[in-house]
Amino acid sequence: MDSAFEDEAEHTVSIQEYLKDVEEQELEADLVLGGDEGKECTYNNGYMKRQAIFSCLTCTPDGNAGVCTACSLSCHDGHEIVELWTKRNFRCDCGNSKFGEFFCKLSPNKDIENVENSYNQNFKGSYCTCSRPYPDPDVEEQVEMIQCCVCEDWFHEEHIGLDSSDEIPRDEEGEPLYEDFICKGCSAVCSFIRLYNQTILASGSQKDAPVETAKDKKVLSDMPLAGRSGKLENDISQSSDTISEPVCGGDSLLLGENSGKNTDSDQCITDANAPVTCVIGVNLVVASPVLECKPMFLLKNWRDVLCKCEKCSEFYEQKHIRFLLDKEDSIMEYEKIAKQKREEKLQQQEGAELTMLDKLGHVEKIEILSGIADMKDELRSFLGSFDPSKTITSADVHQMFENLAKKRRRVE
């Protein structure tokens, strides 16, 4: 009977644990929202590089629209909302033609449609190749998913196309050893990344891939061109003007025999008078590489390594993946900026409190400081006299404040 009563007893936490939990939740919210306090619609900021976006299934059940944080709070309060975390190059849709007669309360004057916005199945509340919702009501234990940095969809580990989850690069404690993930579907257009070999690719327990070590994590620009050798696929035509999509095949195109040649087809011009050999030695615009289509795990700062020559940049533009060159597009940079905003906000709050105190008269300052001291003494006395084996109830807290009020009245 006693054990059954203990199981039904209310779970208790210490004040320190509660405050720590609140702080962690606030930090997590700031990281997701990018420091956006949700007071103003972001529409006037245009297509933002990255921002938190929500889908309202009450207003747009087809999942063809997204709204910013402020609109999700002010315009869609009480609606069925899907939290999409962040989306790139997106402009708030709230109140445009997709919402029928519904108008945005914060920014009513909007274009009929945001033509540059992109929508995937996430806007309908579906994720992964299995198109299941998250959280999944048919699953008892929810498992974490991995987001592709290209299509921005989320995937269950067992559905990303690996033979085993052990192939996902992790340390001994299960923490990821990669910064970004590219899904199997997007690996086709991004197959050229395999030309960089293990320089930016993180390895798990793949049989044919060496385990990445700290010494191996060097940027490609630090490696001499002469030290990177390989061969080009014989059937790739260097004179073709047709841009072909990468085809899933074997690892037949390696980093670059042509990197040391000065042929016109392989040469990338960054300046009219100074022809420069492409880092990977392959003209991606003329012929896309034929490499295997498997999910890729990418090391920290991998974007910095990508070749930015004229031909490669043209290829990124044609394939609509130029954002890969933008460091501010990454989640890491987004969260870094969010942390900076959070620190600035906390500093401003502390400054405002000090400014308010400075504006008070001497007597008012003494009263406030005295009140704080009395509060600390009463709380210390309360906790010191309380039986630690018992649970603190709301009545106990009310009694503590009543004792404090009585003490203040006696002083006055």
Side-chain angles (χ1 to χ4, degrees), residues 237-244 265 283-288 311 314 318:
S237 173
Q238 296 296 324
S239 60
S240 172
D241 292 328
T242 304
I243 301 173
S244 58
S265 60
N283 191 333
L284 298 177
V285 175
V286 171
S288 298
K311 289 297 182 182
E314 182 181 348
Q318 291 175 346

Side-chain angles (χ1 to χ4, degrees), residues 75-338:
C75 304
H76 303 272
D77 183 32
H79 293 188
E80 184 181 358
I81 297 292
V82 177
E83 182 180 344
L84 302 176
W85 199 21
T86 69
K87 294 294 180 183
R88 68 166 58 89
N89 193 37
F90 203 93
R91 196 176 194 184
C92 181
D93 285 321
C94 181
N96 65 15
S97 60
K98 297 182 178 182
F99 289 79
E101 297 181 357
F102 180 89
F103 290 93
C104 178
K105 299 177 182 178
L106 303 178
S107 182
N109 298 320
K110 296 182 177 179
D111 292 340
I112 296 176
E113 185 177 348
N114 296 317
V115 294
E116 293 185 28
N117 280 356
S118 177
Y119 313 90
N120 61 9
Q121 65 170 347
N122 298 166
F123 287 80
K124 296 182 181 180
S126 301
Y127 306 89
C128 189
T129 56
C130 59
S131 297
R132 295 295 301 167
Y134 186 88
D136 193 333
D138 296 332
V139 177
E140 292 184 4
E141 184 178 354
Q142 304 297 329
V143 295
E144 292 186 1
M145 293 193 288
I146 308 175
Q147 187 184 36
C148 173
C149 68
V150 179
C151 67
E152 298 188 299
D153 199 354
W154 294 80
F155 299 86
H156 299 103
E157 291 181 2
E158 62 267 28
H159 296 156
I160 60 177
L162 296 177
D163 295 331
S164 169
S165 60
D166 292 337
E167 295 184 45
I168 300 175
R170 296 191 180 98
D171 61 19
E172 295 179 353
E173 297 179 355
E175 294 298 319
L177 290 173
Y178 59 93
E179 180 176 278
D180 280 318
F181 161 76
I182 296 179
C183 70
K184 184 177 180 179
C186 293
S187 67
V189 72
C190 294
S191 184
F192 69 93
I193 290 179
R194 294 191 180 279
L195 298 176
Y196 294 88
N197 209 346
Q198 294 302 307
T199 308
I200 61 177
L201 290 173
S203 300
S205 60
Q206 295 95 327
K207 296 180 180 179
D208 300 329
V211 177
E212 198 77 22
T213 64
K215 293 182 180 180
D216 295 329
K217 295 178 182 178
K218 298 179 181 180
V219 295
L220 189 62
S221 57
D222 291 338
M223 299 172 59
L225 289 175
R228 301 194 302 273
S229 62
K231 60 180 180 179
L232 295 177
E233 187 69 18
N234 293 331
D235 60 357
I236 294 181
S237 173
Q238 296 296 324
S239 60
S240 172
D241 292 328
T242 304
I243 301 173
S244 58
E245 288 292 334
V247 179
C248 295
D251 263 333
S252 55
L253 183 57
L254 303 177
L255 185 66
E257 183 177 291
N258 284 7
S259 62
K261 297 180 180 180
N262 292 324
T263 59
D264 292 338
S265 60
D266 296 329
Q267 204 169 52
C268 298
I269 309 299
T270 56
D271 182 84
N273 300 319
V276 178
T277 301
C278 176
V279 170
I280 57 177
V282 177
N283 191 333
L284 298 177
V285 175
V286 171
S288 298
V290 181
L291 299 172
E292 66 173 346
C293 295
K294 290 184 63 177
M296 291 182 277
F297 299 90
L298 303 157
L299 295 170
K300 186 177 181 180
N301 298 325
W302 66 276
R303 295 172 185 248
D304 297 339
V305 181
L306 296 181
C307 181
K308 301 175 181 61
C309 72
E310 181 181 351
K311 289 297 182 182
C312 286
S313 297
E314 182 181 348
F315 174 80
Y316 306 146
E317 195 75 42
Q318 291 175 346
K319 300 302 179 182
H320 307 291
I321 55 173
R322 189 172 180 81
F323 56 82
L324 295 181
L325 298 180
D326 188 356
K327 191 173 183 178
E328 292 185 6
D329 173 80
S330 69
I331 295 296
M332 295 288 289
E333 189 68 17
Y334 177 82
E335 292 186 343
K336 177 182 176 181
I337 295 175

Side-chain angles (χ1 to χ4, degrees), residues 352-367:
E353 293 169 358
L354 292 175
T355 301
M356 181 192 72
L357 193 61
D358 290 339
K359 291 181 179 180
L360 298 177
H362 177 70
V363 175
E364 293 169 317
K365 286 182 181 179
I366 294 298
E367 289 180 347

